[in-house]
Amino acid sequence: MKKLLLLLAMAIMVIGLVAGCGKSADNGGDKKSGTIGFSVSTLNNPFFVSMKEGVEAQAKALGLKVKIVDAQNDPAKQANDISDLIESGVSVLIINPVDSAAISTSVEAANAKNIPVITVDRSADKGKVVSHIASDNVKGGEMAAQLIVDKVGKGSKVAEIEGIPGASATRERGQGFHNVADKDLTVVAKQSADFDRTKGLNVATNILQANPDVQAIFAHNDEMALGAIQAAKSAGKTIFIVGFDGTADADKAVKDGTLAATIAQQPDQMGKIAIDTAQKVIKGEAVDAKIPVDLKVVTK
């Protein structure tokens, strides 16, 4: 009987030790050494490729693991990708949304799992985000419009090629542009081309056919601006075209004189800052709710 009681006591001690070890593991290192998930809107755009490279370089420099998934400009795919990242148990989620409204459900899903969310370049309409890293898109739109006023003249006829409907960058760049353009320019046409170069070419072609007296075009990103350059060339017109982002192709076009200007962002810096911010979150440090990234006008 004594032997049986001794065996039972030893068993209870072992169970207690195992439970204690398990509790320590649950409360300990996962949050401090876990993987960072990064969902990027598309890698079919040099701007976001540069952002991804910034994420990868900084993660490597800090010794952090990062899982990167490409939404391919599809809100449904992005939702599925993020669901997979959440289920894989990432410690922090960095999101560059395709659509600011559609992404809200994914942000709320991460909130429900207590996974901190950081947004980059584009915001989420709903859900809790610990930090948003972006340029001041409203200011950038104003800079583009003011450049057209200064270089082409007040009252000039201008067309606007918009980004993806629903993306915060589209709304904000458009808002900034119209803050100036509605007072000092004549906006004769505007149409979405989804931040895509080929669609930008097609939209610009249609706009120039319907409005042959257009003097300037503001495109919400460089890819659409580069498409508009092709459209103007095919139409045999000299158009003052302004893009947004500051990609390598846009810089080359500015130097060549085919693109009048671009409102340059720093996507690689956005990626770097996102990883730095994620590291602070993992360590339990305070982070700023909004982190601005500088803009500048690039002209020849």
Side-chain angles (χ1 to χ4, degrees), residues 52-260:
K52 167 183 168 284
E53 289 170 349
V55 163
E56 289 174 324
Q58 191 64 3
K60 183 178 180 181
L62 297 176
L64 297 171
K65 295 178 183 177
V66 60
K67 285 184 182 178
I68 299 175
V69 287
D70 175 10
Q72 299 173 12
N73 268 338
D74 182 346
K77 184 178 187 307
Q78 185 161 49
N80 289 332
D81 288 345
I82 291 173
S83 179
D84 290 342
L85 288 173
I86 290 171
E87 289 305 312
S88 74
V90 294
S91 295
V92 180
L93 191 57
I94 300 170
I95 305 176
N96 162 237
V98 175
D99 184 291
S100 297
I103 204 62
S104 299
T105 302
S106 296
V107 174
E108 290 169 341
N111 295 160
K113 294 284 187 177
N114 294 316
I115 298 173
V117 177
I118 297 166
T119 50
V120 186
D121 186 50
R122 302 171 188 168
S123 63
D125 287 354
K126 295 180 181 178
K128 181 182 177 183
V129 172
V130 297
S131 188
H132 177 55
I133 300 158
S135 303
D136 186 338
N137 284 302
V138 174
K139 181 180 177 182
E142 291 172 346
M143 291 163 70
Q146 191 58 54
L147 184 67
I148 293 171
V149 172
D150 294 342
K151 299 296 183 181
V152 185
K154 277 194 172 186
S156 300
K157 293 185 177 180
V158 60
E160 178 186 10
I161 304 180
E162 301 171 303
I164 294 172
S168 60
T170 298
R171 293 197 301 262
E172 291 162 6
R173 292 172 193 180
Q175 177 189 334
F177 177 71
H178 284 277
N179 285 347
V180 175
D182 290 351
K183 294 183 294 183
D184 295 331
L185 296 168
T186 305
V187 182
V188 297
K190 65 176 182 175
Q191 188 176 335
S192 171
D194 297 334
F195 292 126
D196 182 81
R197 187 182 302 199
T198 301
K199 291 181 181 179
L201 165 62
N202 294 335
V203 165
T205 297
N206 293 336
I207 286 174
L208 292 176
Q209 286 175 349
N211 303 274
D213 54 352
V214 163
Q215 298 165 272
I217 293 174
F218 169 52
H220 286 195
N221 81 338
D222 287 335
E223 286 295 286
M224 297 187 298
L226 293 167
I229 289 170
Q230 291 178 268
K233 184 177 180 181
S234 296
K237 296 179 179 294
T238 301
I239 307 289
F240 191 90
I241 300 172
V242 180
F244 201 119
D245 282 342
T247 64
D249 284 350
D251 285 343
K252 184 177 182 300
V254 169
K255 289 174 183 175
D256 293 344
T258 53
L259 182 64

Side-chain angles (χ1 to χ4, degrees), residues 13-84:
M13 286 175 66
V14 170
I15 291 168
L17 285 169
V18 171
C21 289
K23 186 175 181 182
S24 175
D26 287 343
N27 290 342
D30 278 356
K31 269 259 178 186
K32 293 183 179 179
S33 61
T35 300
I36 297 167
F38 175 42
S39 172
V40 62
S41 60
T42 177
L43 292 177
N44 192 33
N45 181 325
F47 180 83
F48 296 111
V49 171
S50 182
M51 183 184 291
K52 167 183 168 284
E53 289 170 349
V55 163
E56 289 174 324
Q58 191 64 3
K60 183 178 180 181
L62 297 176
L64 297 171
K65 295 178 183 177
V66 60
K67 285 184 182 178
I68 299 175
V69 287
D70 175 10
Q72 299 173 12
N73 268 338
D74 182 346
K77 184 178 187 307
Q78 185 161 49
N80 289 332
D81 288 345
I82 291 173
S83 179
D84 290 342

